[in-house]
Structure formats: structure tokens, C-alpha cells
Amino acid sequence: MPILESYRTEYSAVNLTADAGVDPERWNRMPDAKTIGKTAAAVSSRNVRVIHAGTGSEALATIRDLLPESADVMNGYSTTLLEVGYDRLLAENPKNWRNCHAAITAEDDTEKRHALRRRSVTADYFLSGVQAIAESGKLVGCDKSGSRVGAWPHGAGRLIFVSGVNKIVPTLDAALARCREHALPLENQQTLRAYGVPSAIGKMMILEEERIDGRTTLITDRRGY
């Protein structure tokens, strides 16, 4: 199913691909049902709950259901989250969540803002995209500063990842290559357009196994992002 026009953002991959010079045929292909099922089983075997969503709306409804009343919530920047409508859900705030990101952006004092950002990785719920999913079930994320992946190892109470199945690749080596050859060029275009500065990979995280039962959930959307 194609991305609905209403879900697209200025920084959606479809609007950055040409200038980024990436190869969508290599890094943005939709896997077949057998590969999706095999990969989901591999992710589940690593103690990560997998929830399949057929549409962006279903993914968003799942997020809403997973976030309990009055929870502290934080998210790393993710075009996928924007494209499923998470920003609008957070603005509507139907469950009175405590929005850590809003508190950070509202703080004018630089030192206080940095302190809030450091504490935000220990939020009750941290939401993020992933840059690649290996068929072996390993999840890979990367970031320049670490703000998107800092909560992954231990800090956050719960992790919720949202990803299109187009990010599935055969091996961990391919997942790492996807970060450098696809995710980084797209991110570089996004930061150049938004802030006038280039991006880079400063931190990279591989989630091989979740040791805490019920901590991590991967929502897979069958659309590509």
C-alpha cells in the first residue's frame, strides 16, 4: 500500500531520495510474506514483541493502546513516527501523557535543556524508529548525537519501535551497510534542509537480545517509509 499523501512530510524518504543519491532498489525493497514472517519470528526469539500493522493508522492505534494513562513518554526523531501520525496523537494527548520532548523544547536555558534531554532516556516509554532489521532478528539504530539510541540499552522503562518492513535486510552486515548507504544520506539531506548542517553517524546500537520481559515492542507496518 503506498504512503497516503496526508502522511507524507517534507522529510519523507520519497522527497529526499534523488538529492541523497541512494539506491532504493537495493535498500528500500518490500520483502515477501515469507521473509516478513521469518524475520518477525527471529525478532520474537530475541524477547522483542512483534505487532503487525497493516496500515499507518493501525500502527498509530497500537501505539495509543500501548501507552498507558499519565505515562512519561519520550521519542527520538523518526520520520516513520511522523508518517504514522504520532505527532498529532501526542498533541491531542488522549491519555494525559507527560510529554518529555515538549518539556525539552520549551526550556530556554541551555544547561537545563541538556539536563532534561539526558533524563529523558529514562522515560517510562521511549519511542523510536529503526534504521535496519536483519532477518536474524537483530535491530539496528544509528544517530549523530545518540539522542535516538541512548534509551535502547537500559535507560527507558519500555521501548516501542515502529518500522516499515522495507527496512528488513538479509544479514547484520547488510543492516550496518543500510545505515551508512541509505539512512545516513537521507538524514544528511534532512538536516541540511532543516538546519543547514550535515549529519553523521556518531553512535550506533545493535539490539541483539532483550533481557527484560515485556520491555521492548516492534510495530511493523507493511508500508514502506
Side-chain angles (χ1 to χ4, degrees):
M1 178 181 296
I3 298 174
L4 297 178
E5 200 66 41
S6 61
Y7 285 128
R8 285 181 178 165
T9 77
E10 178 184 355
Y11 304 119
S12 292
V14 68
N15 295 324
L16 301 175
T17 296
D19 289 338
V22 297
D23 183 358
E25 291 300 317
R26 181 180 184 190
W27 296 121
N28 206 34
R29 288 184 291 183
M30 299 300 290
D32 58 29
K34 181 178 180 180
T35 300
I36 294 172
K38 169 189 171 183
T39 305
V43 174
S44 297
S45 74
R46 297 175 184 277
N47 204 23
V48 175
R49 181 187 181 189
V50 178
I51 301 175
H52 294 296
T55 66
S57 295
E58 289 180 15
L60 188 64
T62 301
I63 293 172
R64 184 176 60 241
D65 291 343
L66 289 174
L67 295 176
E69 292 278 350
S70 302
D72 290 324
V73 299
M74 178 61 183
N75 64 278
Y77 178 84
S78 166
T79 303
T80 302
L81 285 174
L82 290 174
E83 289 179 341
V84 301
Y86 177 70
D87 58 332
R88 295 190 292 275
L89 176 66
L90 202 56
E92 294 168 2
N93 200 357
K95 292 186 177 180
N96 195 33
W97 301 310
R98 292 186 290 275
N99 185 343
C100 298
H101 188 269
I104 291 168
T105 57
E107 178 55 65
D108 292 328
D109 183 274
T110 301
E111 290 302 317
K112 290 180 180 179
R113 187 167 61 251
H114 287 334
L116 287 172
R117 188 172 293 281
R118 288 194 297 271
R119 287 200 295 271
S120 71
V121 299
T122 64
D124 297 333
Y125 285 79
F126 191 97
L127 292 89
S128 178
V130 301
Q131 278 64 58
I133 305 170
E135 289 182 23
S136 61
K138 296 178 182 180
L139 308 178
V140 180
C142 57
D143 189 18
K144 184 176 183 179
S145 67
S147 62
R148 296 185 217 184
V149 297
W152 286 34
H154 182 72
R158 298 283 192 278
L159 294 174
I160 299 174
F161 299 123
V162 184
S163 175
V165 295
N166 59 305
K167 296 181 181 179
I168 295 174
V169 294
T171 66
L172 178 59
D173 284 344
L176 300 177
R178 189 183 193 277
C179 288
R180 298 192 182 280
E181 297 178 20
H182 187 78
L184 175 57
L186 291 174
E187 172 71 7
N188 192 59
Q189 282 299 312
Q190 189 270 323
T191 58
L192 284 173
R193 294 185 185 189
Y195 310 114
V197 296
S199 189
I201 294 178
K203 311 288 173 60
M204 188 174 285
M205 174 68 193
I206 302 171
L207 198 160
E208 292 209 22
E209 181 184 10
E210 177 55 73
R211 303 304 300 269
I212 302 174
D213 292 345
R215 178 175 183 258
T216 302
T217 298
L218 171 66
I219 302 170
T220 61
D221 188 335
R222 291 182 181 272
R223 300 182 306 160
Y225 295 101

